[in-house]
């Protein structure tokens, strides 16, 4: 389907002589539409390579390869960290960061745009306001497609960063009590994170939200069917002192079908340094960013704030993913 580069994964990892698991091959040419497209071994292989890049630096393993970024919705971190990752690996990037910048503005059909990108590049990273857009793109494109967020559905690479950050700061997931707070109804990062938790199985997950922002039934049914130990609560103060990790999301204004519904919940929760007085000493706070009013700046200077570290891990993580999807063995 695409040209193999002449470097082995062991060489990339500096692990000549070590027999790498088949999992490395498993990701080659793969579409990443959902977190559930990955096995635990896939995650671990991505993390291992991300570690290698962080410790020993990037190498030109994707020279001559082209990444398309097709962002039909706004983005800062996701697009720029994918671009940075591709450049650091010696590859190049084409694409757009808004619909207005493309012929979609002239009425071009989504699948025609995808076909063009497919013929100009080796991998497509796509963000779109509609659920299922990345899946549709993957059906049309011959090259691998990575979902960078499709409506309120999923954002799998963000969940990879989230799990990677937890592992870097806490060493494991399975012994942890994790709170996920905020807009659990519309935040796609929450779906992907909870699906990833069905693979990494924390000790317990508290879903902390206003009643109007509760996790949707289909997601709840799925995580229950996978045996994830979770409980819904409406007030962070009820569980704060138990938490090892608190994951906060903003209210996803752009996804509300009814602006009145948004007005009702826009100030429903706010994390401040003051709220954190009763938390564990080593609680870490994560947030996919951007933040609005739900995470006060007073939290930034506490030892709990880990969201900038989390954002910085986006580049090595996405570099590892691109290498494994495009890499030759
Ligand atoms: C998230 C997204 O786009 O879903 N942003 C990101 O990629 N870090 C979260 C959000 O917009 O709230």
């Amino acid at each position: 389907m695409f040209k193999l580069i002449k470097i082995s994964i062991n060489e990339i990892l500096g692990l000549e002589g070590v027999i790498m698991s088949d999992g490395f091959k498993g990701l080659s040419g793969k579409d990443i539409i959902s977190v559930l497209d990955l096995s635990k071994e896939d995650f671990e292989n991505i993390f291992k390579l991300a570690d290698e890049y962080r410790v020993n630096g990037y190498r030109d393993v994707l020279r001559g390869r082209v990444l398309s970024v097709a962002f039909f919705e706004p983005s800062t971190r996701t697009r720029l960290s994918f671009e940075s990752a591709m450049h650091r690996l010696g590859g190049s990037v084409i694409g757009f960061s808004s619909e207005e910048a493309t012929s979609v503005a002239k009425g071009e059909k989504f699948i025609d745009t995808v076909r063009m990108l497919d013929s100009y590049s080796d991998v497509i990273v796509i963000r779109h306001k509609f659920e299922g857009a990345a899946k549709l793109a993957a059906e049309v494109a011959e090259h691998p497609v990575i979902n960078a967020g499709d409506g309120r559905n999923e954002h799998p690479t963000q969940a990879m960063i989230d799990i990677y950050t937890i592992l870097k700061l806490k060493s494991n997931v399975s012994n942890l009590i994790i709170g996920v707070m905020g807009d659990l109804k519309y935040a796609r990062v929450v779906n992907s994170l909870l699906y990833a938790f069905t693979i990494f199985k924390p000790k317990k997950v508290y879903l902390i939200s206003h009643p109007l922002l509760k996790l949707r039934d289909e997601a709840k049914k799925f995580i229950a069917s996978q045996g994830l130990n979770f409980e819904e609560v409406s007030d962070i103060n009820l569980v704060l002192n138990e938490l090892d990790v608190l994951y906060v999301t903003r209210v996803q204004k752009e996804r509300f079908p009814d602006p009145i519904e948004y007005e009702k919940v826009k100030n429903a929760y706010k994390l401040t340094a003051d709220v954190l007085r009763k938390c564990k000493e080593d609680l870490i706070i994560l947030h996919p960013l951007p933040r609005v009013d739900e995470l006060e700046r007073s939290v930034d200077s506490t030892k709990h704030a880990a969201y900038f570290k989390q954002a910085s891990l986006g580049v090595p993580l996405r570099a590892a993913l691109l290498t494994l999807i495009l890499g030759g063995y």
Side-chain angles (χ1 to χ4, degrees):
M1 191 157 69
F2 49 80
K3 229 173 71 203
L4 297 182
I5 51 172
K6 302 237 174 319
I7 185 165
S8 76
I9 197 69
N10 285 3
E11 205 180 320
I12 295 168
L13 290 169
L15 293 171
E16 282 90 340
V18 178
I19 298 171
M20 299 309 296
S21 69
D22 279 347
F24 272 98
K25 291 198 181 113
L27 281 165
S28 176
K30 208 171 155 86
D31 298 312
I32 309 291
I33 307 304
S34 163
V35 151
L36 300 170
D37 292 331
L38 300 172
S39 65
K40 190 166 189 187
E41 194 189 17
D42 291 332
F43 272 95
E44 283 163 355
N45 287 329
I46 295 164
F47 298 160
K48 208 184 289 179
L49 186 51
D51 280 345
E52 161 64 21
Y53 285 144
R54 282 193 313 121
V55 175
N56 294 327
Y58 297 93
R59 295 167 62 176
D60 273 5
V61 292
L62 296 184
R63 181 164 295 289
R65 317 305 292 279
V66 179
L67 162 73
S68 276
V69 289
F71 277 62
F72 296 88
E73 257 199 343
S75 166
T76 308
R77 275 149 296 273
T78 305
R79 182 173 61 81
L80 294 179
S81 60
F82 263 115
E83 292 194 9
S84 171
M86 193 64 181
H87 288 304
R88 287 185 186 282
L89 297 171
S92 43
V93 182
I94 59 168
F96 52 86
S97 55
S98 75
E99 210 164 75
E100 292 74 49
T102 71
S103 286
V104 172
K106 300 185 201 164
E108 183 170 69
K109 293 285 174 286
F110 174 73
I111 55 172
D112 287 352
T113 309
V114 171
R115 271 198 191 105
M116 290 303 103
L117 294 173
D118 192 34
S119 67
Y120 298 157
S121 61
D122 303 295
V123 56
I124 302 171
V125 175
I126 189 162
R127 169 172 287 189
H128 203 285
K129 67 181 172 204
F130 291 137
E131 262 177 67
K135 187 162 183 286
L136 176 60
E139 278 159 21
V140 174
E142 298 229 332
H143 293 103
V145 170
I146 301 173
N147 182 7
D150 62 325
R152 62 180 196 179
N153 183 36
E154 273 216 55
H155 189 353
T157 63
Q158 181 63 49
M160 292 176 205
I161 296 165
D162 302 339
I163 300 281
Y164 186 50
T165 309
I166 295 173
L167 287 172
K168 289 298 109 190
L169 298 177
K170 292 287 189 189
S171 317
N172 75 83
V173 177
S174 54
N175 291 332
L176 302 179
I177 300 189
I178 301 179
V180 182
M181 178 169 96
D183 185 347
L184 312 186
K185 185 172 181 183
Y186 294 116
R188 55 197 174 199
V189 293
V190 167
N191 285 346
S192 288
L193 182 63
L194 293 175
Y195 298 163
F197 284 161
T198 67
I199 299 171
F200 283 85
K201 302 225 185 299
K203 192 152 113 195
K204 176 145 194 182
V205 177
Y206 284 110
L207 301 176
I208 308 162
S209 76
H210 183 284
L212 292 175
L213 295 175
K214 278 164 82 168
L215 189 68
R216 280 171 293 143
D217 280 346
E218 62 263 33
K220 216 180 297 175
K221 272 192 200 127
F222 177 74
I223 60 174
S225 75
Q226 300 302 302
L228 186 67
N229 180 18
F230 71 94
E231 186 181 332
E232 296 183 286
V233 293
S234 58
D235 181 357
I236 184 164
N237 292 304
L238 298 171
V239 296
L240 180 62
N241 62 357
E242 289 180 53
L243 301 180
D244 302 297
V245 177
L246 174 59
Y247 191 97
V248 187
T249 62
R250 73 182 167 94
V251 182
Q252 309 277 303
K253 181 178 181 183
E254 69 277 28
R255 311 239 179 268
F256 281 70
D258 178 359
I260 296 170
E261 193 196 348
Y262 170 71
E263 287 300 317
K264 280 190 208 153
V265 292
K266 68 177 185 193
N267 296 317
Y269 57 99
K270 184 179 211 142
L271 196 66
T272 63
D274 201 41
V275 172
L276 291 173
R277 275 182 303 126
K278 282 177 264 153
C279 75
K280 278 187 178 171
E281 276 287 295
D282 59 352
L283 168 76
I284 59 164
I285 296 166
L286 302 179
H287 191 304
L289 304 175
R291 63 172 146 187
V292 189
D293 293 323
E294 70 289 347
L295 179 59
E296 206 180 55
R297 282 182 202 285
S298 61
V299 179
D300 297 2
S301 52
T302 70
K303 61 184 175 213
H304 309 293
Y307 30 91
F308 294 120
K309 169 82 179 165
Q310 177 189 8
S312 75
L313 293 176
V315 176
L317 187 290
R318 289 180 169 125
L321 180 67
L322 289 170
T323 305
L324 294 177
I325 287 180
L326 290 175
Y329 304 95

